[in-house]
Amino acid sequence: MAKDSADAAGVKIVGEVSGRVSLSKKKDEYIQRHLAKGKVRASETSTIALDDFIEATRHTHADQITEASVLAFYTFLRKRGNQDRTIYNKHVSLFGWFKWLGLDTKKLAEKSPSYTEKEVSEYDAEDLKILFSACDEYQKVVFETLLKTGMRMQEAMHLEWTNVDFRAKKIRVRERLDDDTEEDVRIKDRAERSIPLSDDLAVSLKQLKKNRPKSHLVLGTANDTPNWKWLLMLKREARKAGLN
C-alpha cells in the first residue's frame, strides 16, 4: 500500500519495501550521520531545514512527499519571514536529505529556488570604530582577527595557538582532514599559507592567550570549541551600535 502511494506520487523509496519510511526516524539517522563524520555545522543547518519541512507539511512518512509538499515548504518559510537566500540554503539541506532517502528529487522540484546576490556594503573606518565600541573584549579580537588577516570564518574558527608565531610575526593557515575528534577544515583554494601578523593584532592575541592559558583554539568558545555563532554575534552587535 505504501509503495503504491509512493509510486503514484512519483516518489521512489529505497531500502524500505515492506514498511513505510518514518521521517522522524530518518531525520535522526541523517543528523547522526553528519555528526559521526564530524560535520557539526551541516548537522545544525540540516536539523533546522528538516524540522521546518516536517512542521510545514505535517508529514510523518516519506511516501507522503510530493511536489506540493515542497511548495508548501517554500510558502511556510516565506510566511516566517525567511528571505530568498535563506530559502535556497534550506532547500539545499532538504534535498540533500531527500537524495539520501532515495527520493526522485527531479520530480519534487525541477530546479532550486532563485535568489539575488546582494552587493556587499563595507563598513568604513568610522563605522568600524562604532562597531568595536559596542563589542566586549572577546568580540573585538574575533572581528579584529578576521579584519586584519582576511581568513575565512571556518579557518579562523579552527585556528590553533600552535599556528600563531609571534616571533616570526605570522599566522599559519593549515588544513585538517580525517581527524576523528575534530571537524574537517578545508582552507581557501586548498592551499596552506602564512599570513603576516601585525603588531597591533599580536598585542590583542597575546592578551587573549594570557586570559585563556589552557585553550588550544585561539578564538574558540569558553569551552575551547569552535564558535559557530560569530555571524549572529556580529549582527547583534551591529544593531546595538546602530549600524543595522
Side-chain angles (χ1 to χ4, degrees):
M1 185 68 176
K3 187 175 185 302
D4 292 338
S5 298
D7 291 341
V11 175
K12 179 183 178 183
I13 300 177
V14 177
E16 298 269 357
V17 178
S18 60
R20 302 181 76 188
V21 178
S22 166
L23 293 181
S24 177
K25 178 181 177 182
K26 290 300 183 182
K27 185 202 81 169
D28 291 343
E29 288 180 13
Y30 188 65
I31 299 305
Q32 287 303 314
R33 182 171 177 267
H34 279 315
L35 292 173
K37 296 173 67 178
K39 303 296 184 181
V40 179
R41 182 60 173 169
S43 73
E44 293 174 347
T45 54
S46 294
T47 296
I48 294 170
L50 305 193
D51 283 345
D52 281 349
F53 177 77
I54 291 172
E55 183 179 353
T57 62
R58 303 294 180 184
H59 291 340
T60 56
H61 293 86
D63 56 24
Q64 296 173 289
I65 299 173
T66 65
E67 181 185 24
S69 308
V70 177
L71 296 176
F73 173 63
Y74 298 156
T75 299
F76 173 84
L77 295 180
R78 289 194 176 89
K79 287 183 177 179
R80 277 204 166 178
N82 287 193
Q83 299 301 308
D84 290 344
R85 178 59 187 263
T86 301
I87 294 173
Y88 168 81
N89 290 340
K90 290 185 177 181
H91 166 93
V92 171
S93 294
L94 180 67
F95 272 66
W97 184 46
F98 285 170
K99 185 176 180 180
W100 178 75
L101 284 172
L103 306 184
D104 189 341
T105 55
K106 290 184 178 180
K107 289 186 177 181
L108 296 175
E110 293 183 0
K111 59 182 180 179
S112 304
S114 61
Y115 64 92
T116 300
E117 190 73 52
K118 303 293 185 181
E119 181 180 2
V120 176
S121 298
E122 296 184 5
Y123 286 166
D124 59 24
E126 187 61 29
D127 290 331
L128 291 173
K129 183 178 179 180
I130 295 171
L131 173 65
F132 276 77
S133 69
C135 297
D136 62 28
E137 291 305 313
Y138 169 73
Q139 293 166 346
K140 285 180 182 177
V141 73
V142 168
F143 300 147
E144 184 182 4
T145 301
L146 292 170
L147 179 65
K148 295 179 179 179
T149 65
M151 281 191 289
R152 291 183 174 181
M153 188 173 74
Q154 190 178 28
E155 294 173 343
M157 281 169 41
H158 293 86
L159 178 64
E160 299 179 354
W161 285 114
T162 53
N163 287 323
V164 178
D165 191 335
F166 291 109
R167 182 177 299 178
K169 295 185 178 183
K170 64 175 63 176
I171 293 175
R172 294 184 292 270
V173 180
R174 297 292 181 262
E175 188 171 59
R176 184 179 64 242
L177 303 176
D178 301 322
D179 189 309
D180 292 335
T181 58
E182 299 283 354
E183 183 175 7
D184 287 353
V185 180
R186 298 186 184 277
I187 60 179
K188 183 178 179 180
D189 300 327
R190 301 301 301 276
E192 296 186 334
R193 64 196 190 280
S194 291
I195 300 171
L197 174 60
S198 64
D199 291 338
D200 53 349
L201 179 57
V203 171
S204 299
L205 292 178
K206 285 179 180 178
Q207 184 60 48
L208 182 64
K209 185 173 177 61
K210 182 179 179 180
N211 295 338
R212 298 182 172 193
K214 296 183 178 181
S215 66
H216 78 279
L217 289 177
V218 177
L219 303 172
T221 65
N223 295 322
D224 204 24
T225 58
N227 191 337
W228 289 97
K229 297 183 178 180
W230 287 350
L231 183 56
L232 180 62
M233 184 172 75
L234 175 60
K235 289 180 178 180
R236 184 177 61 242
E237 298 311 311
R239 290 193 192 97
K240 186 190 301 182
L243 296 171
N244 187 25

